[in-house]
Amino acid sequence: MRGKWVLLSLSLILVAVAAGALSLLRKDRPQAVQAPEPAAALPPPIGNEVSLTGVIQPREVVTVGPAVAGVLESIAVDAGDFVFQGQILAQISNESLSNERMLAEESANAAQARVNAIESAMIAARLEASRASADASRSRDQYETAQRYYQRQRLLLSEGATPRLTFEKAQREFENAEREYRSLDDLSKLAQDRVAKLNADLEAARIALRDRNNKLEEAQTHVSATEIRSPVDGVLVGRNKVVQERVGPEDEDLLQIATDLSSLEVVLRPDPRVLRRLRPGQQALVIIADMGGQGLPGSVSQVGDPEVKVFFANPNPNLRLGATAQVRILLEPPATAP
């Protein structure tokens, strides 16, 4: 029994010694050193000259919009096309205005047809009146001749100087001539009255025709407003709608036309550090690939955030707007802290 306790005591001593040795080993092991995070890369310094890329745009642009609302039916030109003043650029479809013109045209045509009909009737009436007047005039001459002869025979009969049969014959001829004259004279008066009535009708029809034509002209003016025409000579540089879209007077910049291609600008978006060193009037060199890399002198015309504009004189009227250009600018020295 005593031997068992001795053996157990030795085992406990060995376990304690092993635990102490393991603790010492852990204390002596060097701890892993955590690697420092890499520092953020600093931006490269900016020198006294910078080269920026931008887009060539016109300096003077005229915007064109529709005068009436409707659907954009067609556009007759593309961006980059030369246009002239008065040229039709686009067409708008407006059903209400088209119907107004159609009705006005039908009304004017009907009024014109009435005028034509009355004028034709007037020609026939005047011809008939002229013929009736000639017949009445001839009949009046015969009546007056028969009247004088009758009166003479009556006088001779009262004196017994002519046979009664001769007198009665003269009387019958006079009465027949009188009846014929009265009838033809009435017909002539009726023909003249018809001419006068047709003349009044024609005047009224012409007044109506003028009124209908004025309304037609007004309707055509309204319809002509659906045509968008160029107000200037220039180059179409942009549009804000496509065919079949609805447009209206609020779309004032539907089409944009550059009017002066001899004066252009390059729009740049420089780094904020560069922006702080730019001022209007700084000299620049504009290099355009479309012109064989030729450098054109320019100057900073406007400094904004974020856009900067560089003006240059364009010697090539065929230069493509919207092309890219490289711009070199001499910067101002950086501001120093006080």
Side-chain angles (χ1 to χ4, degrees), residues 95-209:
E95 186 176 353
S96 176
L97 294 180
S98 298
N99 290 338
E100 177 188 351
R101 181 182 62 178
M102 182 180 65
L103 293 175
E105 188 173 4
E106 291 176 354
S107 181
N109 289 340
Q112 182 64 64
R114 175 164 173 74
V115 168
N116 294 342
I118 295 176
E119 286 178 342
S120 298
M122 175 71 77
I123 293 173
R126 282 176 175 170
L127 182 61
E128 181 63 27
S130 177
R131 186 182 300 113
S133 177
D135 290 343
S137 178
R138 175 185 53 77
S139 179
R140 183 178 63 249
D141 291 341
Q142 293 176 351
Y143 161 70
E144 291 175 351
T145 300
Q147 183 182 39
R148 287 193 298 269
Y149 182 72
Y150 164 69
Q151 291 175 346
R152 182 172 180 275
Q153 290 299 319
R154 186 174 60 179
L155 178 60
L156 291 175
L157 180 63
S158 64
E159 295 178 355
T162 184
R164 188 167 187 85
L165 291 176
T166 302
F167 165 74
E168 290 177 353
K169 180 181 178 183
Q171 184 179 20
R172 286 193 302 272
E173 290 176 352
F174 164 70
E175 291 174 351
N176 291 335
E178 183 179 20
R179 283 193 298 270
E180 181 181 7
Y181 165 64
R182 300 302 180 192
S183 176
L184 291 177
D185 187 57
D186 289 343
L187 289 176
S188 177
K189 290 178 180 179
L190 289 174
Q192 292 297 334
D193 290 344
R194 175 169 170 75
V195 169
K197 183 179 183 306
L198 287 173
N199 192 48
D201 291 345
L202 180 59
E203 183 62 25
R206 285 174 174 169
I207 292 175
L209 177 61

Side-chain angles (χ1 to χ4, degrees), residues 75-96:
I75 299 178
V77 291
D78 295 322
D81 288 350
F82 285 89
V83 299
F84 57 86
Q85 185 176 4
Q87 179 181 352
I88 296 177
L89 304 179
Q91 180 72 48
I92 296 173
S93 174
N94 185 299
E95 186 176 353
S96 176

Side-chain angles (χ1 to χ4, degrees), residues 257-270:
I257 301 173
T259 58
D260 184 7
L261 296 184
S262 64
S263 177
L264 301 178
E265 63 188 13
V266 182
V267 180
L268 308 171
R269 287 179 172 265

Side-chain angles (χ1 to χ4, degrees), residues 208-261:
L209 177 61
R210 284 196 296 269
D211 179 65
R212 305 287 176 79
N213 282 336
N214 288 338
K215 291 182 178 178
L216 175 59
E217 185 177 352
E218 183 179 354
Q220 288 174 335
T221 300
H222 292 164
V223 170
S224 66
T226 62
E227 296 175 347
I228 302 178
R229 295 178 178 268
S230 175
V232 294
D233 296 341
V235 176
L236 187 72
V237 294
R239 67 188 189 194
N240 293 328
K241 297 284 185 177
V242 297
V243 174
Q244 297 304 316
E245 278 194 276
R246 290 200 64 84
V247 295
E250 67 278 5
D251 297 306
E252 298 177 353
D253 58 347
L254 176 65
L255 302 172
Q256 301 100 48
I257 301 173
T259 58
D260 184 7
L261 296 184

Side-chain angles (χ1 to χ4, degrees), residues 2-17:
R2 185 176 179 182
K4 292 181 178 180
W5 284 109
V6 172
L7 182 60
L8 179 60
S9 297
L10 290 174
S11 300
L12 291 174
I13 293 171
L14 289 174
V15 170
V17 172

